[in-house]
Amino acid sequence: MTTSGPPLKRAQVERLVRYLHFVRQSKGRSAAVSSARLAEHAGLDESQVRKDLAAVGVRGRPRVGFRPAEILSAIEKRLGLDQGYRAVVVGAGRLGSALIAYPGFARYGLEVVALVDADPLKIGTSIGGLIVHPVERLGEIVRDKEVRLGILTVPDAAAGEMARRLACAGVQAIWNFASAGIDVPEGVYVRHEHLSVGLAELAYHLSGRVSAE
Amino acid sequence: MTTSGPPLKRAQVERLVRYLHFVRQSKGRSAAVSSARLAEHAGLDESQVRKDLAAVGVRGRPRVGFRPAEILSAIEKRLGLDQGYRAVVVGAGRLGSALIAYPGFARYGLEVVALVDADPLKIGTSIGGLIVHPVERLGEIVRDKEVRLGILTVPDAAAGEMARRLACAGVQAIWNFASAGIDVPEGVYVRHEHLSVGLAELAYHLSGRVSAE
């Protein structure tokens, strides 16, 4: 527990990530960033931006703005991104391979240290510098490498069983890319990354309706 | 315009997708689904579920529940999923390849009909049954194949330029998987699929804080 203040809600975390991302992208380009620019980037009111930043201890100076380095350090600390944690990818298919190669992980404190798959033909091959291990070794891998996050990129039909195995192996959180819902014991945090929500939103827009939001 | 009623907000679309997904998964297993089960699956109040379903014209029967086929048909129609639209993937890397192979597209009315990349070494190769074309052909492809959606899976540094090209080529919406923000002309709808939000949320949870949500 390196952070302070009351627990953040999911929507607050999302907003802080947007500010963080904007400041990281524009870092070095200016000595100060205004709440107006942050608000525009995040699609929010300026007052919301100021409130969110104040909640993590960042206060701007009138007519100057916020110091980028201060925003970065405050949000990274509040979100625990300065700590680092290890993950295993379950499912050595295209999506699993794509995620292993995703350059953003390190910037959010995450390191993929192992890769497992149920397909005997994949076991022993190397993807993105990681050897594919059999799922039977999941428990051992999680324990030995101190893995705290399982990234689930298996087909829907296998998602439930693999989530169960991850939970039994002792991970504290699961990042689920399968569309299937998964049941996990209390205490295991699940983040669903439902591509279908994006697909449906786009289909809805293309069908001729414009969101009122 | 095949749908009726006022435009839906993004959060409403997301909730409808959750109901749709649950009913699709459990279809055939029961003759009726209760608002309690839908609410549990979606993590919402029963009253919210009933309100959302009523908004798309679905009303349950007391002590029986909702008919799955009615939910499916009403939500699919309201979201425009029954219409079908074509997409081009820009970026033939791992993520682009993973998305082409994603089995969920068809169920949301989407068909990937073309794939382009800026890398001369990839041009002419075949990925998931699609030939990789040069980005210079984007305009022609969008016009000839009546493509309405661009799926952006290029590295951050190329995202802005490729979004501009997609907009010029005439797509109506962009599904952006790059972490970089993109500027598009008014009238082009953008859905950002920020993996970094998921990463940050998981990092925050693993840092020892539990969301109050």
Side-chain angles (χ1 to χ4, degrees):
Chain A
M1 198 83 82
T2 60
T3 54
S4 61
L8 300 169
K9 296 204 177 179
R10 191 179 290 229
Q12 286 178 288
V13 172
E14 297 206 354
R15 291 198 301 272
L16 289 175
V17 172
R18 287 190 203 170
Y19 309 147
L20 180 70
H21 198 266
F22 179 76
V23 175
R24 278 177 174 176
Q25 282 194 301
S26 51
K27 206 189 169 185
R29 272 186 253 156
S30 56
V33 57
S34 66
S35 50
R37 278 181 67 210
L38 283 166
E40 191 193 346
H41 171 76
L44 297 161
D45 288 339
E46 277 190 61
S47 60
Q48 180 70 69
V49 171
R50 281 191 294 263
K51 201 175 147 190
D52 287 337
L53 290 180
V56 296
V58 178
R59 271 171 190 88
R61 282 173 299 163
R63 286 192 297 278
V64 177
F66 301 94
R67 286 202 309 124
E70 196 180 337
I71 294 180
L72 289 184
S73 135
I75 297 181
E76 283 170 357
K77 198 172 168 196
R78 188 70 171 90
L79 295 181
L81 307 184
D82 52 344
Q83 294 187 50
Y85 52 103
R86 300 204 186 96
V88 58
V89 169
V90 179
R94 286 194 185 85
L95 184 57
S97 308
L99 286 173
I100 288 171
Y102 180 63
F105 279 146
R107 285 189 298 171
Y108 289 90
L110 188 136
E111 183 191 6
V112 177
V113 295
L115 174 60
V116 304
D117 200 284
D119 181 354
L121 292 176
K122 286 184 182 163
I123 311 296
T125 62
S126 170
I127 295 176
L130 294 173
I131 303 291
V132 182
H133 291 291
V135 286
E136 288 73 21
R137 290 197 50 206
L138 206 46
E140 177 191 336
I141 288 168
V142 168
R143 192 179 58 240
D144 292 355
K145 294 186 190 277
E146 297 179 344
V147 167
R148 298 176 64 195
L149 173 71
I151 304 177
L152 204 52
T153 62
V154 297
D156 281 6
E161 167 66 11
M162 289 302 144
R164 197 187 58 74
R165 281 177 182 247
L166 273 169
C168 290
V171 298
Q172 291 162 11
I174 294 176
W175 198 8
N176 179 27
F177 282 84
S179 333
I182 54 175
D183 286 325
V184 292
E186 207 164 325
V188 177
Y189 186 82
V190 177
R191 157 105 191 176
H192 294 281
E193 212 66 48
H194 278 327
L195 294 183
S196 52
V197 170
L199 279 171
E201 186 189 307
L202 288 160
Y204 174 64
H205 177 80
L206 290 171
S207 77
R209 287 296 183 146
V210 181
S211 168
E213 207 174 5
Chain B
M1 197 84 83
T2 62
T3 55
S4 60
L8 301 168
K9 296 205 177 177
R10 192 178 288 229
Q12 285 178 290
V13 173
E14 296 206 355
R15 292 197 301 273
L16 290 175
V17 172
R18 286 190 204 171
Y19 308 147
L20 180 70
H21 199 266
F22 179 76
V23 174
R24 278 178 174 173
Q25 281 193 303
S26 51
K27 206 189 169 184
R29 272 186 251 156
S30 57
V33 57
S34 66
S35 50
R37 278 181 66 212
L38 282 165
E40 190 192 347
H41 170 76
L44 297 162
D45 288 339
E46 277 189 62
S47 60
Q48 179 71 68
V49 172
R50 280 191 294 263
K51 202 176 146 191
D52 287 336
L53 290 180
V56 295
V58 179
R59 273 172 188 85
R61 283 173 299 165
R63 285 192 299 280
V64 178
F66 302 93
R67 287 201 309 123
E70 197 181 335
I71 294 179
L72 289 185
S73 136
I75 296 180
E76 284 170 357
K77 199 171 167 199
R78 188 70 171 90
L79 295 181
L81 307 184
D82 53 345
Q83 296 189 49
Y85 52 103
R86 302 204 185 96
V88 57
V89 169
V90 179
R94 286 193 184 86
L95 183 57
S97 309
L99 286 172
I100 288 170
Y102 180 62
F105 281 145
R107 286 189 299 170
Y108 289 90
L110 187 137
E111 184 192 4
V112 177
V113 294
L115 174 59
V116 304
D117 200 285
D119 181 356
L121 292 175
K122 286 183 182 163
I123 311 296
T125 62
S126 169
I127 295 176
L130 294 173
I131 303 291
V132 181
H133 291 291
V135 285
E136 287 73 20
R137 291 199 49 209
L138 206 46
E140 178 193 334
I141 289 168
V142 167
R143 192 180 56 239
D144 293 354
K145 293 186 188 278
E146 296 180 346
V147 167
R148 298 176 64 196
L149 174 70
I151 304 178
L152 204 51
T153 62
V154 297
D156 281 6
E161 166 66 12
M162 290 301 144
R164 196 188 58 76
R165 282 177 180 249
L166 274 169
C168 289
V171 300
Q172 291 161 11
I174 294 176
W175 198 7
N176 179 27
F177 282 85
S179 333
I182 54 175
D183 285 324
V184 292
E186 209 165 321
V188 177
Y189 186 82
V190 177
R191 158 102 190 178
H192 294 281
E193 212 65 50
H194 277 328
L195 294 182
S196 51
V197 170
L199 279 170
E201 185 188 307
L202 288 160
Y204 174 64
H205 177 80
L206 290 171
S207 77
R209 287 293 181 145
V210 181
S211 166
E213 202 174 11

